[in-house]
Amino acid sequence: QLVESGGGSVQAGGSLRLSCAASGRSFSASVMGWFRQAPGKEREFVAAITWSGGFTYYANSVKGRFTISRDNVKNTVYLQMNSLKSEDTAVYYCAQNRMPTGVRAAIHEYDDWGQGTQVTVSS
């Protein structure tokens, strides 16, 4: 089970940190990802991180502004979002790939999903 938190409303240029708490034994071996879905648009990849945290992968649209990290003791993955723009407004979802063959951006690679948390950026 994945539970996101930390969403909210912020002005453009501001920051938010999302958290995703995972339950179950597979967390430390999983690739964890963040995705988002804006109104009227398809769900898209944002960032992913390997089980060790040693490799991260970002969508071009967030590179340099967002940072994904994880704490395998707390079974939690984070998404630090800085320099937020109005186009970052979306529902953000945490996802888990329990048997990864690599760090992937494709939605179908992920097995488990959270319920989502709303991020609204006003200009």
Side-chain angles (χ1 to χ4, degrees), residues 2 23 31 44 51 55-56 64 66 70 74 83 90 98 108 123:
L2 303 175
S23 58
V31 165
E44 65 175 5
W51 67 272
F55 181 80
T56 55
F66 291 11
R70 67 190 294 165
K74 295 182 178 180
S83 302
R98 285 183 267 113
H108 71 266
S123 57

Side-chain angles (χ1 to χ4, degrees), residues 4-107:
E4 301 100 334
S5 61
S9 297
V10 64
Q11 290 190 334
S15 299
L16 282 174
R17 188 175 84 152
L18 305 183
S19 299
C20 173
S23 58
R25 299 179 180 178
S26 61
F27 178 82
S28 61
S30 300
V31 165
M32 300 299 297
W34 285 97
F35 291 75
R36 67 187 181 186
Q37 188 166 17
K41 296 188 176 181
E42 294 186 350
R43 192 170 298 189
E44 65 175 5
F45 171 78
V46 175
I49 187 168
T50 54
W51 67 272
S52 67
F55 181 80
T56 55
Y57 179 44
Y58 297 93
N60 287 336
S61 59
V62 306
K63 199 174 296 182
R65 300 187 298 121
F66 291 11
T67 302
I68 189 171
S69 61
R70 67 190 294 165
D71 184 332
N72 288 343
V73 174
K74 295 182 178 180
N75 276 18
T76 301
V77 62
Y78 305 97
L79 185 68
Q80 177 67 44
M81 306 185 294
N82 298 328
S83 302
L84 283 161
K85 305 175 181 179
S86 57
E87 51 263 45
D88 295 318
T89 294
V91 176
Y92 283 72
Y93 297 91
C94 173
Q96 177 174 299
N97 179 345
R98 285 183 267 113
M99 297 186 69
T101 56
V103 180
R104 310 295 185 197
I107 291 174

